[in-house]
Amino acid sequence: MDMDLETAEDPAKGVGIEIRNVTMAYGSQVVLRDIRVRVKRGEVFVIMGVSGGGKTTLLKAMIGLKPPLQGQILYNGVSFWDAGEEGRQAMLRRFGVLFQGGALWSSMTLAENVALPLEEYTDLNPAEIDEIVRLKLALVGLAGFGDYLPSELSGGMRQRAGLARAMALDPEILFFDEPSASLDPISSRRLDDLILELRDSLGATIVVVTHELPSILAIGDHAIFLDPNTHTMRAEGNPRELLEHSADPYLQEFLTRGAGSRTPLTPGTGTTS
């Protein structure tokens, strides 16, 4: 695996992820342009914005589903998309991904879903896998539910089961794609609390794609706001500090659900219409 020595990070600086000048496109349609951000190890990093702003597209580039048109994504100083297939696969084994709705296999029990990556990527015997599966389910509050099918559970429980599967290989980085989508407020808050508990107990870096304001303000250490009109990163910082100090009216409208703006705003312009 080739490492770009110029961009390798000093571990003491604590930078685990660097998105460097990334542009994303579908055909000739540019979705994101020149995105630049650094994420420290152990942070909850939030990619926020309205629907259609490119949040999930950026996530796809970070987890190996879509290469950037331009730019680099580096993990601990190593360029993911320049690492070659073997290098990328090695990095992917250090990731855990929770997709919308949990994305569980409907014909498999929760225990079988969580066991799947362990069976695929390790040489553990069935007894060892069973022990890890029970531990992961207990960590997300689903002890005793291993024999249940996803259809027998609530939406919040399916999300937690998906999280247990994402944690199966003890990842360094956990990625969440709209984790609170379709959840009721109580289930959403419980999931937020669980994300923080995992960050604190496991020391994992957590990347969350969401437009859910309560979650953004509850869990985010560091956030970027993507503008769907200019296809750029409009703001960066701690979301609670952005709410308190930013003078950008479009960002303020997003962070206050419009309560802080007297008249509608034209997306991407920061002006009233």
Side-chain angles (χ1 to χ4, degrees), residues 19-272:
I19 300 171
R20 173 176 290 184
N21 305 104
V22 163
T23 293
M24 302 291 298
Y26 293 96
S28 61
Q29 178 64 43
V30 173
V31 178
L32 294 170
R33 181 181 289 108
D34 198 28
I35 305 301
R36 291 174 286 177
V37 64
R38 289 182 170 189
V39 181
K40 295 180 181 178
R41 297 185 187 95
E43 279 189 330
V44 177
F45 171 60
V46 177
I47 303 171
M48 62 182 182
V50 301
S51 297
K55 302 186 300 297
T56 297
T57 298
L58 182 57
L59 179 69
K60 287 179 178 179
M62 298 179 75
I63 62 175
L65 295 181
K66 181 174 176 58
L69 180 66
Q70 295 177 349
Q72 295 177 311
I73 296 173
L74 300 99
Y75 294 101
N76 298 325
V78 179
S79 176
F80 179 85
W81 287 102
D82 293 332
E85 182 62 26
E86 185 176 345
R88 285 196 296 273
Q89 288 300 319
M91 281 189 261
L92 287 171
R93 291 190 183 100
R94 306 204 306 265
F95 299 171
V97 184
L98 176 62
F99 293 101
Q100 293 185 36
L104 300 169
W105 292 99
S106 60
S107 61
M108 302 172 72
T109 66
L110 298 195
E112 290 169 339
N113 268 281
V114 178
L116 195 60
L118 295 164
E119 294 168 346
E120 183 75 18
Y121 295 113
T122 75
D123 296 323
L124 298 172
N125 63 48
E128 291 170 327
I129 290 176
D130 181 65
E131 182 178 355
I132 293 172
V133 167
R134 286 188 283 107
L135 172 62
K136 300 304 182 183
L137 287 173
L139 281 174
V140 298
L142 291 175
F145 285 88
D147 292 333
Y148 282 65
L149 292 170
S151 60
E152 298 175 303
L153 304 177
S154 68
M157 295 173 77
R158 286 194 295 271
Q159 284 291 77
R160 286 187 277 141
L163 178 54
R165 185 179 61 186
M167 295 191 305
L169 296 174
D170 295 324
E172 296 175 15
I173 306 174
L174 281 165
F175 296 89
F176 295 79
D177 185 15
E178 300 285 3
S180 300
S182 303
L183 295 185
D184 63 81
I186 294 176
S187 296
S188 179
R189 177 58 186 270
R190 287 174 178 167
L191 185 61
D192 288 343
D193 291 342
L194 179 59
I195 289 171
L196 293 177
E197 289 172 12
L198 293 173
R199 187 272 313 271
D200 294 340
S201 62
L202 302 179
T205 304
I206 295 175
V207 178
V208 183
V209 167
T210 186
H211 63 271
E212 298 289 342
L213 182 60
S215 292
I216 291 169
L217 297 177
I219 68 175
D221 296 314
H222 182 194
I224 58 174
F225 181 66
L226 301 180
D227 186 329
N229 192 57
T230 62
H231 311 299
T232 59
M233 187 178 80
R234 185 165 181 138
E236 177 185 4
N238 178 283
R240 293 171 294 281
E241 293 178 358
L242 290 173
L243 174 62
E244 184 175 355
H245 300 297
S246 175
D248 184 331
Y250 184 43
L251 177 60
Q252 280 295 320
E253 183 183 44
F254 176 83
L255 291 174
T256 62
R257 293 178 171 171
S261 181
R262 295 182 179 178
T263 55
L265 295 171
T266 302
T269 65
T271 60
T272 55

